[in-house]
Amino acid sequence: DSGVTQTPKHLITATGQRVTLRCSPRSGDLSVYWYQQSLDQGLQFLIQYYNGEERAKGNILERFSAQQFPDLHSELNLSSLELGDSALYFCASSGQLGGSNTGELFFGEGSRLTVL
Amino acid sequence: SQQGEEDPQALSIQEGENATMNCSYKTSINNLQWYRQNSGRGLVHLILIRSNEREKHSGRLRVTLDTSKKSSSLLITASRAADTASYFCATRRGGGADGLTFGKGTHLIIQP
């Protein structure tokens, strides 16, 4: 158990819809990362938040947005969904406050999104 | 875009044999990490090697890093059926603020 919790585990929705994926990081971790995993694209880094602020952006579409709240949980919002958005979405965390950041990421079990 | 590329894409060996996977990357790195992913599950960190290190061991795992060739290898000795998974290398560029960039992985199958 990595200590990172993602909900929901599975989500089926229709094209054009909007969904929100939620992530609770490991206790004490300040950074949250979102990744998308699909068969054709592999693992793609989407975005990173650190202590509530956006820290780095990867291949995140304009239809997608994220935020990190004061309690450090994060949400990834996906809108105007397309068939190609079907994928596993992972949240990872790192960066213990007051501890050494070894650089490793702790991944949740993912949210599997299916767009029909 | 992918920073690391694993090779081979798939590997099938007998239980007890050693498994070697390679990773090549394109830009300078701060460190390189290897992760394992069981089918449909989250990734699990295996080992991290810093850019100033050449070799590192952890249990049955041995990782090497050649920064001049921009490559790394992961060796799993005395493989077990439970080692069946996908293995990914990941690199973090200097500064560490831009997340880890993963390759597409090597799918390892251990035949009992």
Side-chain angles (χ1 to χ4, degrees), chain B residues 53-99:
Chain B
E53 297 176 311
R54 291 296 167 258
E55 187 171 314
K56 202 160 182 181
H57 296 254
S58 176
R60 293 184 296 113
L61 305 180
R62 173 179 167 251
V63 169
T64 63
L65 179 64
D66 187 335
T67 52
S68 66
K69 294 181 179 177
K70 292 187 169 55
S71 68
S72 173
S73 68
L74 171 67
L75 169 68
I76 304 174
T77 60
S79 63
R80 305 166 181 169
D83 295 328
T84 294
S86 291
Y87 292 81
F88 296 86
C89 68
T91 54
R92 181 187 295 271
R93 297 183 206 118
D98 57 355

Side-chain angles (χ1 to χ4, degrees), chain A residues 1-6 9 24-27 29 91 93 104-110, chain B residues 36 41-45:
Chain A
D1 182 6
S2 67
V4 178
T5 304
Q6 288 188 248
K9 287 187 171 25
S24 293
R26 213 169 54 123
S27 178
D29 281 355
C91 168
S93 72
E104 71 178 274
L105 299 188
F106 296 87
F107 280 80
E109 289 296 312
Chain B
R36 183 188 73 213
R41 305 291 300 275
L43 281 76
V44 174
H45 180 265

Side-chain angles (χ1 to χ4, degrees), chain B residues 11-16 19 21 35-41 46 60 76 78-87 106-112:
Chain B
L11 179 62
S12 180
I13 60 173
Q14 294 295 123
E15 196 166 20
M21 289 157 271
Y35 286 77
R36 183 188 73 213
Q37 183 183 31
N38 290 80
S39 182
R41 305 291 300 275
L46 294 176
R60 293 184 296 113
I76 304 174
S79 63
R80 305 166 181 169
D83 295 328
T84 294
S86 291
Y87 292 81
T106 291
H107 185 51
L108 175 66
I109 298 172
I110 307 299
Q111 307 277 4

Side-chain angles (χ1 to χ4, degrees), chain A residues 2 33 35 37 39-45 48 55-57 59 88 90 94 101-110 112, chain B residues 1-2 31 33 35 37 39-46 48 50 86 88 90 92 95-104:
Chain A
S2 67
Y33 306 77
Y35 284 86
Q37 186 178 38
L39 279 174
D40 54 343
Q41 293 292 321
L43 260 169
Q44 296 287 323
F45 168 65
Q48 176 198 357
R55 182 80 172 250
K57 225 168 188 176
N59 303 323
L88 256 176
F90 286 106
S94 73
N101 182 4
T102 59
E104 71 178 274
L105 299 188
F106 296 87
F107 280 80
E109 289 296 312
R112 183 174 293 280
Chain B
S1 64
Q2 301 300 125
N31 64 58
Q33 303 177 37
Y35 286 77
Q37 183 183 31
S39 182
R41 305 291 300 275
L43 281 76
V44 174
H45 180 265
L46 294 176
L48 178 152
R50 291 186 167 79
S86 291
F88 296 86
R92 181 187 295 271
D98 57 355
L100 287 178
T101 306
F102 288 83
K104 290 203 171 184

